Amino acid sequence: MSVTVVGSIAFDAVTTPFGSRERMLGGSAVHFSLAASFFDDVHVVGPVGDDFGPDEYAVLEGREVRTEDIEHIEGGRTFFWRGAYGWDLNDRDTLDTQLNVFADFEPKLSLESRSTDVLFLANIQPDLQREVRAQCEGARFVALDSMNLWIETARDSLIETIAGVDCLLLNDAELRQLTREPNLVRAARKIREWGPRVVVAKQGEYGSAMITDEGFFGLPAFPLETIVDPTGAGDSFAGGFVGYVAAHPDAELDHELLCRAMAYGTALASFNVEEFGVERVARLTAGEIGERVGELRRITSFSEKPLLLRG
Ligand code: AMP
């Protein structure tokens, strides 16, 4: 089976307390694709400009990501984002966003991308997400990510797009902003009334929480001593989470399976933040992922021993 992703393909300039990069491969669809490539065939959809060359393709193709639906816009420049982090790595300032080739992008999916089993609408203008959703009618599972920019500038369109997906993944602050509900459980209930049956709140270094018809599940982030660059952590999480779903084409997508998907998302995000941009995930191995998921299971479970509590 396969996963199709539409989202930004970017050059990022990033400063963190541990260093900086002036121009590195990034974008929501890129981070997602590399993470999801450990689970299934991935088709990445999005536009790039003349500045996107063999080195960038090589990173994606090095993980066998299918790049036929990357549209090269002659004379254009690739989407560019500049961000900076202070000591609180959960918080970042966007210093520059240049949509460039995304400004006039009209997604045209190949037959292979359209007939995907699983679709991820990574962070990009919600009208574009909806156009892609409409082209992938047969998808069994559709998940969506977004950000404060679109909540602030295209809220109605975003809500319409959300109504057509199975799963919404969003930062917890953005969930509150979108629903205008300070309480996460209430916010998730509201989202579920709009359409998606699964809501995942990404909580940065505090982990993630999921709410489905069957209840609540939470995981901490994997405890790391070294975090260098959080850029793309959310998309890598989504790549692990959605990739795990894609790797189970015949299974019922019940709460249990989605809890395991959360563990894989958590593991992928934890590798992503260890180095700048895609540097770490590009040379990650399947064995390392398996080991980290095992470690995560060990540190998040405890044995039950009955204790007679004082009344
Ligand atoms: P994350 O840290 O997972 O939220 O995503 C980081 C990625 O999002 C970066 O690689 C950026 O290129 C990309 N990005 C930043 N702003 C936008 C935007 N307005 N639309 C689409 N992608 C964006």
Side-chain angles (χ1 to χ4, degrees):
M1 289 295 179
S2 67
V3 189
T4 293
V5 54
V6 64
S8 55
I9 300 171
F11 285 114
D12 291 342
V14 171
T15 303
T16 81
F18 312 103
S20 64
R21 293 285 187 277
E22 256 316 291
R23 187 183 127 101
M24 61 184 185
L25 176 62
S28 52
V30 169
H31 285 287
F32 175 91
S33 296
L34 294 176
S37 70
F38 287 93
F39 301 85
D40 209 339
D41 292 343
V42 183
H43 295 260
V44 58
V45 179
V48 297
D50 292 341
D51 48 353
F52 198 89
D55 291 352
E56 287 72 37
Y57 279 105
V59 175
L60 291 164
E61 284 159 6
R63 289 271 344 127
E64 294 185 12
V65 173
R66 303 279 301 272
T67 56
E68 297 89 332
D69 277 358
I70 293 185
E71 194 179 341
H72 179 183
I73 311 284
E74 209 73 45
R77 286 189 71 75
T78 302
F79 178 93
F80 176 80
W81 176 76
R82 180 182 293 277
Y85 300 79
W87 290 106
D88 178 358
L89 293 173
N90 273 345
D91 200 26
R92 73 176 169 214
D93 289 324
T94 289
L95 305 175
D96 194 8
T97 301
Q98 297 171 16
L99 288 179
N100 297 333
V101 288
F102 261 107
D104 303 308
F105 177 54
E106 288 171 16
K108 291 177 279 304
L109 275 63
S110 61
L111 181 61
E112 259 192 289
S113 290
R114 261 185 284 143
S115 43
T116 193
D117 182 42
V118 171
L119 173 66
F120 184 60
L121 303 168
N123 177 24
I124 196 64
Q125 218 284 341
D127 296 339
L128 290 179
Q129 291 179 315
R130 214 163 50 246
E131 280 176 40
V132 173
R133 176 41 190 126
Q135 291 182 45
C136 299
E137 276 178 341
R140 169 177 70 99
F141 185 77
V142 183
L144 175 146
D145 187 14
S146 191
M147 71 181 294
N148 54 354
L149 175 68
W150 310 122
I151 299 171
E152 284 153 23
T153 60
R155 185 171 182 270
D156 291 346
S157 169
L158 178 58
I159 292 174
E160 193 183 332
T161 311
I162 288 171
V165 306
D166 303 292
C167 172
L168 175 69
L169 295 110
L170 218 53
N171 289 342
D172 55 353
E174 291 162 354
L175 270 177
R176 294 189 177 96
Q177 186 186 12
L178 174 65
T179 57
R180 299 168 178 163
E181 275 288 354
N183 176 292
L184 207 58
V185 179
R186 277 171 179 269
R189 184 181 318 134
K190 199 163 181 176
I191 300 280
R192 293 179 58 245
E193 283 165 7
W194 292 347
R197 63 181 183 85
V198 182
V199 178
V200 176
K202 297 176 288 178
Q203 300 166 313
E205 66 174 299
Y206 304 112
S208 55
M210 176 177 71
I211 290 133
T212 71
D213 307 343
E214 294 165 75
F216 179 94
F217 180 67
L219 273 183
F222 189 82
L224 292 171
E225 282 201 25
T226 311
I227 299 177
V228 169
D229 172 22
T231 308
D235 305 306
S236 305
F237 177 95
F241 180 84
V242 175
Y244 187 85
V245 168
H248 294 82
D250 301 319
E252 195 189 331
L253 299 181
D254 58 11
H255 190 78
E256 287 298 306
L257 184 140
L258 295 171
C259 290
R260 289 195 293 277
M262 291 268 286
Y264 280 85
T266 301
L268 265 303
S270 75
F271 285 112
N272 176 274
V273 303
E274 287 180 343
E275 293 178 24
F276 274 97
V278 301
E279 289 167 14
R280 180 69 180 94
V281 176
R283 60 176 167 74
L284 187 61
T285 65
E288 289 174 310
I289 299 171
E291 253 175 59
R292 195 157 281 186
V293 169
E295 183 70 0
L296 188 64
R297 186 180 318 108
R298 194 183 64 73
I299 64 172
T300 53
S301 58
F302 56 91
S303 57
E304 232 176 335
K305 194 170 173 196
L307 170 68
L308 197 56
L309 296 170
R310 299 205 289 182

